[in-house]
Amino acid sequence: MCDKNNNKFAKNQRKVKFRNSKVGKLIARDGSITKVAERMAIIGYIPTALHAINGNKDHANRGLAKATNATITATSGLAGFTIGGVAGGGAGGAVGAVVGSVCEKAISTKIKDPNIKSECDQFTSKEAGYNILFGAIGGATSGTISNYGKSIGASKKVIKATRLVNGVVIGMNKKMFKNMAKKKAMKMEKRRKLSLMSQELETAIL
């Protein structure tokens, strides 16, 4: 009995140690790697399933929302490229980004935690613009990668891996631009408030 308890204690200690390690933090439910994986087409459903298994409903819905958006955008881009080349891929990606974002917003309404919900696209006018732009870029480049890979005799695995990396890079750039836009908006709002305070102070003095 003591041996069983000791083994159980040691096992729990190893789990705690791993969770507190750098790798453990990266693949935790809010870890950087987990969040990147959630934004990947089709692959994003893997961390989503793990969230659900572990009883993290809000994180599961976040993953479902992001993975669905990415999958719809990627599929539309590839379909568009097949029909109309680079221009078709760009158009398909743009349309897919709009549809995907609408789905992401709809799924995110199930999230109760406001902090987790804020990580999902709420499809504002600004977000729509970014999604259309990067969806078009993703659709065009993904199709181009497929065609070029076939022309040089690359294997299907290499082409898929390259498309996956391309999607991750585009997703990261989209996030970076959105963060930059948010920071700029916050600065402008801060300046506006300071200007109003200055005007109020001048009025009070006069």
Side-chain angles (χ1 to χ4, degrees):
M1 188 71 178
C2 281
D3 288 338
K4 285 185 178 179
N5 288 334
N6 287 336
N7 289 335
K8 190 175 181 181
F9 178 76
K11 190 176 181 181
N12 288 334
Q13 286 293 97
R14 286 195 295 269
K15 284 182 179 180
V16 171
K17 188 176 180 180
F18 177 74
R19 284 173 186 169
N20 292 328
S21 67
K22 288 183 178 179
V23 175
K25 288 177 180 178
L26 287 171
I27 62 173
R29 62 183 185 181
D30 287 314
S32 300
I33 291 176
T34 301
K35 289 183 178 180
V36 169
E38 287 175 357
R39 296 190 190 96
M40 293 182 184
I42 301 174
I43 289 174
Y45 292 115
I46 296 173
T48 299
L50 292 173
H51 289 319
I53 290 169
N54 289 315
N56 301 318
K57 291 183 179 179
D58 282 349
H59 290 83
N61 283 321
R62 181 189 68 189
L64 179 62
K66 290 187 174 297
T68 300
N69 187 350
T71 302
I72 291 172
T73 302
T75 304
S76 299
L78 284 172
F81 189 90
T82 303
I83 297 169
V86 176
V95 172
V98 173
V99 176
S101 293
V102 171
C103 290
E104 182 172 342
K105 182 180 180 180
I107 295 170
S108 72
T109 58
K110 298 177 182 179
I111 300 172
K112 295 178 181 179
D113 189 322
N115 292 323
I116 297 174
K117 187 175 182 178
S118 66
E119 296 180 72
C120 296
D121 280 349
Q122 296 306 307
F123 204 56
T124 61
S125 57
K126 286 183 180 179
E127 285 183 341
Y130 284 120
N131 290 339
I132 290 169
L133 172 62
F134 285 98
I137 293 171
T141 54
S142 184
T144 302
I145 288 168
S146 292
N147 267 13
Y148 181 72
K150 289 175 183 176
S151 70
I152 62 173
S155 67
K156 289 183 179 180
K157 287 183 179 179
V158 171
I159 293 172
K160 285 181 179 180
T162 307
R163 283 208 316 252
L164 182 63
V165 172
N166 177 64
V168 171
V169 171
I170 289 173
M172 290 174 71
N173 282 325
K174 184 175 82 169
K175 186 180 179 182
M176 181 184 73
F177 274 96
K178 284 174 71 175
N179 287 339
M180 286 172 64
K182 283 181 180 179
K183 286 180 181 179
K184 188 176 179 181
M186 286 173 68
K187 283 182 179 180
M188 289 177 67
E189 180 63 17
K190 190 175 180 180
R191 286 177 185 173
R192 187 185 70 81
K193 286 181 178 179
L194 286 172
S195 178
L196 286 172
M197 287 174 66
S198 178
Q199 289 175 14
E200 288 174 359
L201 186 60
E202 286 179 7
T203 303
I205 294 171
L206 295 172

